[in-house]
Amino acid sequence: MATKNGKSAICTKPVWFITGCSTGFGRELAKHVLERGYRTVVTARNPDKVNDLAAKGEALVLRLDVTDKGQIDMAIKAAEDKFDRIDVLVNNAGIGYFAAVEESEEDQVRRMFEINVFGLSRMIHAALPGMRKRRKGFIVNFSSIAGLCSFPSLGYYNATKFAVEGLSGALWQEVEPLGIKVMLVEPSGFRTDWAGRSANESKRQIDDYAATAGVWRSQVRAISGKQPGDPVRAAHAIVKAIEFPNAPHHLLLGNDAYEAATAKLEDLRREFSAWEAVSRGADFPKEEQEHGPRHAAHPAGPNQDKTLNVTTFPRPPVGGGMGVMAGKTTATAGG
């Protein structure tokens, strides 16, 4: 986050609050920031799995299930009581789920949304009042390359990460004028537990999807623990980005993430260009926009031109994710 003098707004000994620290990205990130001397709130559903991290520095270990609003409120209060503030909130907690869209079980899908989307949003709601009061803070939301590109067998996981992308894009437009930065982390395949015990799969598998969702699911499971991504290097990259004066909104992690995301951009450009005339033709012609269509008069609302009876809308910049399948099986989702 940049300040007027071009330096990072994160102080020299910041307070980090990280969810999902028992394994993977959360654990490696907690270890790294503690080793740098940062004060760190280390959280997990089972604190016994992260107690060892407390010996690495100035840590507060807390039990936290992001589906429990009461636990969230208590954890934020405990962090602010001990350290006076939260400088960096890292929403890392999340799970995966493998199933073709038609195979998916609603209870499993709802559980995933509860953790990946609503748990993340609850953390944001709880941390923002303190950050707004101080006019300073940094929110890191773990998305995935699956928040930019869709993959078979991951449709509903894609949906949770697309939701995180859209939420984060709106959030940074709302809070950056208040001095609060937002960054999305978008990893590809890393050696975390995401494709292992952290991801369930549907009980029912339909033969018609064996060559698409079935193959993809098998490939991702098969390379679990052998992915090219290194969680330790990822943790270092995240800290580097946060402490850079002009931190990015999107931090891709891994060669596969970079290649899949840039290929997706090219696919979008080609398709948009091919259909440009049809897309642009859906608006009123310019002369009708300027002089108004000859429709029956109607009462003018608050956003309507009272002379022309034409509704006008502001055109703010829009942030967030996009995606259809990038077509590269090695660009497995992560995070």
Side-chain angles (χ1 to χ4, degrees):
M1 171 190 306
T3 59
K4 290 181 180 178
N5 60 11
K7 297 181 180 179
S8 172
I10 300 301
C11 59
T12 54
K13 197 176 180 183
V15 178
W16 284 57
F17 188 115
I18 307 170
T19 69
C21 293
S22 60
T23 61
F25 291 121
R27 184 174 185 83
E28 296 303 331
L29 190 55
K31 285 170 61 177
H32 182 51
V33 296
L34 283 166
E35 288 166 356
R36 290 173 69 91
Y38 300 167
R39 294 167 290 177
T40 307
V41 183
V42 180
T43 73
R45 285 182 295 175
N46 182 357
D48 291 341
K49 293 184 177 181
V50 294
N51 278 330
D52 61 303
L53 295 175
K56 296 183 178 296
E58 195 172 352
L60 173 63
V61 174
L62 296 175
R63 180 186 303 276
L64 180 61
D65 179 344
V66 296
T67 68
D68 186 329
K69 185 178 183 302
Q71 281 192 18
I72 289 173
D73 291 341
M74 287 190 293
I76 293 293
K77 184 178 186 305
E80 293 179 336
D81 285 348
K82 182 173 179 62
F83 296 127
D84 190 49
R85 66 183 188 273
I86 296 168
D87 293 305
V88 181
L89 169 66
V90 181
N91 284 312
N92 165 70
I95 61 170
Y97 177 64
F98 293 96
V101 171
E102 187 182 350
E103 295 170 344
S104 299
E105 299 139 339
E106 186 171 327
D107 61 335
Q108 294 297 313
V109 171
R110 287 183 178 275
R111 175 174 177 265
M112 182 169 55
F113 267 87
E114 190 65 27
I115 296 169
N116 293 6
V117 180
F118 294 109
L120 174 145
S121 67
R122 288 187 192 99
M123 291 302 306
I124 293 169
H125 280 246
L128 270 178
M131 291 183 176
R132 284 192 294 105
K133 183 178 179 180
R134 293 185 300 276
R135 287 300 196 262
K136 184 183 295 185
F138 206 120
I139 296 173
V140 180
N141 289 334
F142 263 79
S143 177
S144 166
I145 186 57
L148 297 172
C149 305
S150 297
F151 304 100
S153 82
L154 292 176
Y156 282 107
Y157 178 76
N158 284 132
T160 67
K161 295 305 183 179
F162 274 59
V164 170
E165 296 272 339
L167 178 72
S168 301
L171 182 65
W172 72 56
Q173 295 176 67
E174 295 165 357
V175 301
E176 287 189 355
L178 308 178
I180 302 164
K181 183 74 178 179
V182 179
M183 184 176 76
L184 284 153
V185 176
E186 296 149 337
S188 48
F190 276 73
R191 295 183 189 181
T192 68
D193 195 39
W194 177 83
R197 66 178 179 84
S198 294
N200 292 332
E201 62 181 70
S202 59
K203 297 174 184 176
R204 181 178 68 129
Q205 297 179 13
I206 300 171
D207 288 345
D208 281 346
Y209 302 120
T212 53
V215 168
W216 189 276
R217 176 170 46 220
S218 297
Q219 288 177 341
V220 174
R221 291 289 202 193
I223 65 169
S224 181
K226 306 171 189 174
Q227 299 95 327
D230 178 1
V232 175
R233 287 181 171 85
H236 289 225
I238 291 166
V239 174
K240 181 178 181 179
I242 288 173
E243 296 183 347
F244 192 72
N246 294 301
H249 287 132
H250 295 266
L251 180 64
L252 295 164
L253 291 178
N255 286 306
D256 290 340
Y258 186 87
E259 290 176 12
T262 52
K264 178 58 196 172
L265 287 175
E266 291 305 313
D267 287 345
L268 285 174
R269 287 191 186 100
R270 281 193 295 269
E271 188 161 288
F272 290 168
S273 179
W275 286 84
E276 181 179 2
V278 174
S279 298
R280 292 184 180 278
D283 282 354
F284 285 112
K286 284 188 177 181
E287 60 272 15
E288 289 192 23
Q289 292 183 37
E290 294 170 359
H291 303 294
R294 300 308 177 194
H295 294 256
H298 55 274
N303 293 324
Q304 292 174 334
D305 186 309
K306 296 182 180 180
T307 302
L308 303 178
N309 286 331
V310 176
T311 303
T312 58
F313 298 95
R315 295 183 179 180
V318 176
M322 52 199 168
V324 296
M325 182 174 159
K328 183 172 180 181
T329 57
T330 56
T332 53

